[in-house]
Amino acid sequence: MTAHEVKFGALLEPPAERPQDVVGLAELMEELGYDVVTLSDHPYWPERLDTIALLAAIVARTTRITVLPNLLNLPLRPPAVLARTAATLDILSGGRFELGLGTGAQQMWDGIVAEGGPRRTAGESIEALEEAVHVIRALWTSKADVEFAGKHYQLSGAKPGPAPRHEMSIWFGAYQPRLLRLTGAIGDGWIPSSPYFPPEALPAANKVIDEAALAAGRAPASIRRGYNIEGRFDAGPGFLQGTPSVWAEQLAEVALNHRIDTFFLYRADSADVLRRFAAEVVPAVRELVAQA
C-alpha cells in the first residue's frame, strides 16, 4: 500500500492553435478539486506552446493546485537556468511548484539536435541527469558560490539562489534499470506512463527503486510514485477500458498493490473527461483505498 495519500491530476495537452485552452483546463481542474496539473515538454514540436511559459500562466491563474512539468526536456534546458526558473515559479505560486526532469526520449534526438541540443547515448543521458540534479540542488541550497566540474555540465563559481519557497521535489520518468536505480538513489518521485509501462511492469521497477534507495541510505517510502494513465470509459476489457467503477477498482488495486500515490490522466484535452473522472472515479478510488 502507498505510504502517501492518493492524489489525482492530469497531463494536459497544449495545442498552439488554442492558446487559452490549457490554462482554462487548469483552472477547471482546480475548481474540480484535482491535486496536480502537469504539462509535457517537447520544445522541438512547433505545434506545441512553450511548456515553461504555460506553467507560469497556470501558476498565475490558480491558487491551490500543485503545478508540475511532466517532464522537462533536460537536453534543451540548461540545469542552472532550470534551477532559477523552478525556484521563481515556486516563489510566485506560494510553494506549489515541483520539478519534473526527463533525459530526452531516444526517438526524439533528431529534433533535439536540430534545435542545438546535444546527441547523447542512453548512458550519457542518465549521467547528464545525475549531474543536472546536483547542479540544481546546489544552486537552491548552497551558501557559497557553486563549483562543479562534470562531464556534461560545468559551473565556475556560479552564484546560488534564489531558494525555492518550499523543499521542492524532483521527479524522473524512468523505465530501464539504470535510470530506475538513479531514481532510487537521488530522485524524489517517479512517473512512468501506462501506454508504455503497464501495471504488471510496476512491481519489478519498484523493486529496483527500493533496492537503490536502501543502498543510498534512503527510505524507499520517501520516494513518491506517480502514474500517467490512459484509458476509455466506453471500451473493454483491459486496463482502464470500461465504466468509471471499473476504473476505480483497477486504480485502487494499483495504489494498494504497487504503491502508486498519484494518478495523472494522460493527454487530457477534454473538460467533459476531467469532470467525469473527478466526479465518478476519484471519490470511488479514495473510498476503496480508505476501506483497505
Side-chain angles (χ1 to χ4, degrees), residues 143-159:
K143 303 301 181 185
D145 293 353
V146 179
E147 302 280 348
F148 184 76
K151 176 181 176 182
H152 303 279
Y153 302 111
Q154 299 81 36
L155 297 183
S156 301
K159 303 294 182 184

Side-chain angles (χ1 to χ4, degrees), residues 117-290:
R119 185 181 297 276
R120 292 171 177 155
T121 66
E124 289 170 338
S125 297
I126 295 170
E127 292 172 351
L129 179 62
E130 183 172 9
E131 290 183 11
V133 170
H134 180 94
V135 166
I136 290 167
R137 287 182 172 150
L139 290 171
W140 284 345
T141 62
S142 178
K143 303 301 181 185
D145 293 353
V146 179
E147 302 280 348
F148 184 76
K151 176 181 176 182
H152 303 279
Y153 302 111
Q154 299 81 36
L155 297 183
S156 301
K159 303 294 182 184
R165 176 73 176 268
H166 80 301
E167 190 173 342
M168 198 186 308
S169 60
I170 300 180
W171 295 64
F172 300 157
Y175 298 92
Q176 301 302 322
R178 184 173 174 184
L179 191 46
L180 290 168
R181 287 194 293 271
L182 186 66
T183 302
I186 68 171
D188 299 306
W190 172 50
I191 312 177
S193 299
S194 69
Y196 314 106
F197 211 74
E200 54 266 28
L202 294 172
N206 274 325
K207 185 173 186 291
V208 174
I209 292 171
D210 292 349
E211 290 174 349
L214 291 170
R218 308 177 71 205
S222 69
I223 301 165
R224 301 288 301 275
R225 323 278 166 133
Y227 204 19
N228 293 325
I229 53 169
E230 184 174 60
R232 294 178 59 186
F233 287 127
D234 58 354
F239 183 60
L240 303 185
Q241 303 293 315
T243 64
S245 63
V246 169
W247 279 52
E249 291 169 3
Q250 292 178 339
L251 293 180
E253 181 181 0
V254 170
L256 293 167
N257 295 336
H258 305 313
R259 290 178 290 151
I260 297 296
D261 59 66
T262 309
F263 293 102
F264 306 98
L265 273 177
Y266 190 57
R267 296 176 177 170
D269 59 2
S270 164
D272 290 341
V273 170
L274 288 170
R275 288 191 179 96
R276 189 172 189 186
F277 186 76
E280 300 181 42
V281 178
V282 170
V285 175
R286 287 186 166 139
E287 183 177 353
L288 290 169
V289 171

Side-chain angles (χ1 to χ4, degrees), residues 2 23 94 101 117 190 215 253:
T2 175
V23 181
L101 293 178
W190 172 50
E253 181 181 0

